[in-house]
Amino acid sequence: MSEQTQQTEDLQRGVVIVGAGMAGVQTAVALREQGWTGPVTLLGAEPHQPYDRPPLSKAVLLGKAEDSAFDVDFEELGIELRLGVEVTGLRAADREVDTEAGPVPYGVLVLATGARPLTLPGAEGVPGVHLLRTLDDAARLRPVLAAGSAVVVVGAGWIGAEFATAARGAGCEVTVVEAADRVLAGALPAEVAEPMGRWYEQAGASLLTGARVAAVEAGRILLSDGRSLSAGAVVVGVGARPATDWLAGSGVELGPDGAVVADERLRTSVPGVHAVGDCASFPSGRYGARLLVHHWDNALQGPRVVAADIVAGGSGEQVYDPVPYFWSEQFGRFVQYAGHHGDSDTLLWRGDPTAETWSVCWLRDGRLAAVLAVGRPRDLAQGRRLIESGVQVDPAKIADPAVALKATGI
């Protein structure tokens, strides 16, 4: 088949997007904004109108909002929205995806299936054990918080801290169990995580580090050291893995982390198939590494590159190499992070970590690689721009919190 014939067929069959979260919805919208005139079909596994996830651990969980549906008029944009459709497989040779309702043909396919939360072995099916990833999860947890139940949170990562914050705000007794020796062990070095660990006690939550779960029973958790914790509810927040099991045998290359291996234009190893958001890793020229970013901003930015490549018939010139960014609201603090740091980067403090506001910067080869800001949004915004520009910076000025980050360039 000639390239022109294939492009004509792609336009006629249209774009099928698997996954109706932020990445999938934004891809559909970006296609229309960038001039794609062919059919666009958005397949969502959940029955709900597509929604934003960050409010689930905040306003929706606390009953301050019923949902967080995207303000998108799919009908007006000519986007066919199919909800409650679980995709079970991909047959690339036939350009079809399989669903429980039958095959769906595509000209171009976009994988935007996100990530699934990891479960606690042995806890599946135990009454009172919850995850927090979907609107239904938040709906099940809302009455738990409203009742002021005693809650045990397993995992002191970002989502664990956010749920603990909401539960304490609702008046619940909260115990957080973390297998590692500190909070955010997989994300931040010990010296940075240490002051953040103190926030739990200050908020009235009990934090148990180095504590492994041996078993979960109805109403309690048993730890490997013999301790028993009563729990009206158990919330598991021990990480997530790309939702890509359905791609087994499809020919789409997956990495050891389960992520779709995408290139710098977010194209997969299979022609006509792109991947975006939490389910895909991509090569970063900026950091010289392949990144897997499970955060909202990645699901917002990546779709524009995918749409541009599709509109250009698979020969787009736009490369995806963002400065990763995310934020978290925990224990009355607004925490922001931009960039990507490694163990060999030079860490510099800006401010006193026992104070209400402070920042940390990581330098690599004399340039800013990453910044973590606690209650210092200007540091984050200015630091992000420094990372994007790649300019050399003065370490002495970086370490002085009285000097604006934008004034630290050499």
Side-chain angles (χ1 to χ4, degrees), residues 150-325:
V151 177
V152 173
V153 181
V154 181
W158 300 111
I159 191 65
E162 291 190 357
F163 179 80
T165 298
R168 284 301 299 142
C172 297
E173 178 185 329
V174 177
T175 301
V176 180
V177 176
E178 171 56 54
D181 62 356
R182 64 182 188 272
V183 304
L184 296 165
L188 297 173
E191 60 188 296
V192 178
E194 194 274 334
M196 301 173 78
R198 292 197 296 265
W199 298 348
Y200 288 75
E201 183 179 358
Q202 294 168 7
S206 177
L207 173 64
L208 306 179
T209 57
R212 295 188 174 275
V213 176
V216 180
E217 301 174 353
R220 69 172 184 161
I221 276 188
L222 301 178
L223 302 182
S224 57
D225 62 7
R227 283 180 290 179
S228 175
L229 304 175
S230 297
V234 175
V235 178
V236 180
V238 293
R241 183 175 173 84
T244 56
D245 291 349
W246 66 281
L247 292 169
S250 68
V252 173
E253 182 184 356
L254 302 179
D257 52 12
V260 176
V261 177
D263 67 10
E264 69 279 3
R265 292 177 178 81
L266 299 179
R267 298 173 298 196
T268 75
S269 58
V270 173
V273 181
H274 295 70
V276 66
D278 289 4
C279 72
S281 68
F282 56 91
S284 171
R286 186 190 310 277
Y287 291 105
R290 176 166 287 276
L291 302 182
L292 174 59
V293 180
H294 283 184
H295 293 298
W296 184 90
D297 192 64
N298 178 51
L300 176 67
Q301 304 295 339
R304 298 166 189 168
V305 174
V306 171
D309 195 69
I310 293 173
V311 171
S315 59
E317 298 181 356
Q318 191 173 345
V319 170
Y320 189 59
D321 194 5
V323 174
Y325 166 75

